[in-house]
Structure formats: C-alpha cells, structure tokens
Amino acid sequence: VSIAVAAVTAAANWFVFRWFWGTILNDPNPEFIATSLVVALVVHELGHLVVMESNGVKTHLVFLIILGGAIPSDSKKFEGLSDHTKSLISLAGVSGNVLVAVTAWILASAGFIDDQSAQRVIDLNGALIVFNMLPFSSLDGGRLAKTLFNSTPEHLDSKMALWAGGAILTAGFFLSAVGEYN
C-alpha cells in the first residue's frame, strides 16, 4: 500500500507541475520541468527514508504539491532517535538534491543532455536545497535548527538563528549569482 500511495501521489504531482508550468508560466517544455521536480522530490524523500529505515524506523512516502514526506509509521520510535541521527535524517534529503544536481552535471558533461537542461535541473535543486534549509519547523532546516538549538544554550538561540538565517541567505544569493554567471 505504501508504494502505491507514493507512486500515485508522485504521478499526481507530475500532472499538477506540468499544468502549472505549461498553463500558468507558459514554459516551452513543461514535461521536462515536471519530470525534474518529481525526480528531485522522490530522491529527496528517498534520502530521508533510507536513513530512517537504516535506524530501525519504518517509513512511508507520500508526495503533496511541492512538498513530499517520509513519514515514520512509529513516531515514538522516531522521537527516541538521537539528535545526531535526526540531523542526518534532515540532511539526507538535501543530499539527495545535491546528488540529482551532480548527476545532471555529469550527464551534460558526457553529452547525454544539453547544458541548458542540466542548468535548469541544477538551479531547481539548488532552489529546493535553499528552501528546505529554511529554519521553519515543517522543513528540514527547521528540524536541523531544532537539533542545533537543543544542543545550544538557551541564551544563544537568537544568535544561532541569526547566523543560520544569514548563512542560508548567503547561500541563496551565491547560488543565484552562480546561476546568472553561467
């Protein structure tokens, strides 16, 4: 059932993405963007799933519009994991996006896809990384920030939040500048 739910929700996302990019944004190749987004979401959530399951937490995948979810079937077991393991789970999804971007670069370098398509995949995954690392509770960055703040003395929480926000904005501007330069 879990695999069927993941497949159906991922396919539904593809159609929504294709409609949005084709109809609303008039993209000349909405199928490419829809496929790139679904692949990025699936690989991202599979990263979470692999780390959770390797730590004994049974997990189900579901994909909502723009967001996906690797949902632990036993939340108490998940909550019992160490902060270090929870950090690895949060970073596993972002690592999946890095993997997709690097794969696009390799495919372009080998001549399997054109440079413009590779750049679109890299930019898309870069944007997903920056978005996911924002320190909001439902995103990976929020979970990672919670883990960091739990290991930081209470009086340093606001300084930590400012540094984390600054680092995320700097990374976003850097990725944007690199994308514009290329």
Side-chain angles (χ1 to χ4, degrees):
V1 172
S2 181
I3 293 171
V5 168
V8 167
T9 56
N13 273 329
W14 187 90
F15 285 105
V16 170
F17 294 150
R18 194 238 171 267
W19 168 81
F20 181 78
W21 259 267
T23 305
I24 305 298
L25 300 180
N26 295 320
D27 190 273
N29 193 357
E31 293 82 10
F32 179 79
I33 293 296
T35 302
S36 298
L37 270 168
V38 169
V39 167
L41 286 172
V42 168
V43 172
H44 178 99
E45 296 305 332
L46 281 173
H48 294 312
L49 179 136
V50 166
V51 177
M52 279 197 267
E53 296 230 346
S54 69
N55 283 284
V57 178
K58 180 89 171 121
T59 308
H60 304 287
L61 294 181
V62 65
F63 300 97
L64 307 170
I65 306 307
I66 300 292
L67 301 172
I71 303 166
S73 60
D74 184 354
S75 59
K76 288 183 182 177
K77 191 166 191 173
F78 175 78
E79 291 303 322
L81 296 174
S82 70
D83 287 342
H84 179 265
T85 302
K86 288 179 185 175
S87 296
L88 291 176
I89 291 168
S90 293
L91 293 172
V94 172
S95 298
N97 291 117
V98 170
L99 177 66
V100 172
V102 168
T103 301
W105 177 77
I106 291 169
L107 290 173
S109 297
F112 291 109
I113 62 174
D114 62 89
D115 290 341
Q116 183 181 7
S117 295
Q119 190 63 51
R120 289 183 88 182
V121 171
I122 292 166
D123 290 346
L124 171 71
N125 279 277
L128 289 172
I129 290 167
V130 170
F131 174 75
N132 260 287
M133 292 312 293
L134 292 173
F136 299 122
S137 64
S138 61
L139 300 175
D140 296 330
R143 292 185 188 104
L144 188 60
K146 182 178 178 184
T147 302
L148 290 173
F149 291 146
N150 283 344
S151 64
T152 303
E154 191 77 28
H155 70 281
L156 297 177
D157 280 354
S158 60
K159 286 183 182 180
M160 182 74 109
L162 287 173
W163 277 102
I168 291 167
L169 287 174
T170 301
F173 286 125
F174 176 75
L175 290 171
S176 175
V178 169
E180 291 297 321
Y181 177 74
N182 289 328

